């Protein structure tokens, strides 16, 4: 009975056992080998403050980037719009099938921001964008 606390395995003055391995901090592994020339992320080469590369915005379609929808209704013509649905304030979900689509209540907007299908009755607000080289910028 005289041994309290662990069945006699610990001795006075002996160092405590090491913590489990998952409690040790280890430096992150070294960076992998540089990527091959064809292994570039989709935004590689695009200025950091650009909304999108023009090549990433299909003719007859668009992309949603943060609070802005950028569409290309016809070749070389880009339109900036708010990404907030005018019906109930939901964030727009997608650009597909030639329309900008809200998943909340089914509103659809044309690529120029006009209402294509309700319940929304007001068009999307315009956002000022500019094209510089092969990139689209806010402002």
């Amino acid at each position: 009975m005289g041994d309290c606390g662990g069945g006699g395995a610990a001795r006075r003055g002996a160092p405590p056992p090491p913590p489990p391995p998952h409690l040790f901090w280890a430096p992150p592994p070294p960076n992998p080998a540089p990527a091959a020339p064809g292994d570039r992320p989709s935004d590689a080469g695009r200025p950091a403050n650009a909304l999108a590369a023009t090549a990433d915005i299909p003719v007859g379609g668009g992309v949603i980037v943060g609070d802005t929808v950028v569409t290309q209704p016809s070749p070389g013509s880009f339109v900036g719009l708010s990404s907030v649905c005018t019906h109930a304030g939901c964030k727009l979900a997608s650009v597909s099938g030639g329309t900008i689509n809200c998943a909340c209540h089914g509103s659809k907007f044309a690529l120029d921001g006009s209402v294509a299908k309700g319940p929304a009755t007001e068009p999307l607000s315009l956002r000022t964008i500019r094209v510089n080289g092969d990139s689209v910028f806010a402002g």
Side-chain angles (χ1 to χ4, degrees), residues 4 7 10 22 28 32 54 56 79 90 95 97 102 108 110 129:
C4 294
H22 68 276
T54 56
D56 293 338
V79 177
C90 295
V95 182
C102 182
K108 294 181 181 285
I129 59 168

Side-chain angles (χ1 to χ4, degrees), residues 2 22 24 44 47 59 71 101 107 111 129:
H22 68 276
F24 282 111
V59 175
T71 65
N101 309 300
S107 291
L111 299 178
I129 59 168

Side-chain angles (χ1 to χ4, degrees), residues 84-88 107-110 113-125:
V84 177
C85 180
T86 57
H87 170 246
S107 291
K108 294 181 181 285
F109 300 88
S114 62
V115 177
K117 176 184 175 281
T121 58
E122 296 294 317
L124 297 173
S125 301

Side-chain angles (χ1 to χ4, degrees), residues 66-139:
D67 63 356
T68 304
V69 180
V70 181
T71 65
Q72 187 176 189
S74 59
S77 173
F78 296 90
V79 177
L81 303 160
S82 168
S83 66
V84 177
C85 180
T86 57
H87 170 246
C90 295
K91 180 159 171 55
L92 297 169
S94 66
V95 182
S96 63
T99 58
I100 306 162
N101 309 300
C102 182
C104 288
H105 302 107
S107 291
K108 294 181 181 285
F109 300 88
L111 299 178
D112 65 358
S114 62
V115 177
K117 176 184 175 281
T121 58
E122 296 294 317
L124 297 173
S125 301
L126 289 172
R127 292 283 170 109
T128 303
I129 59 168
R130 60 186 167 77
V131 176
N132 187 357
D134 63 355
S135 297
V136 179
F137 296 86

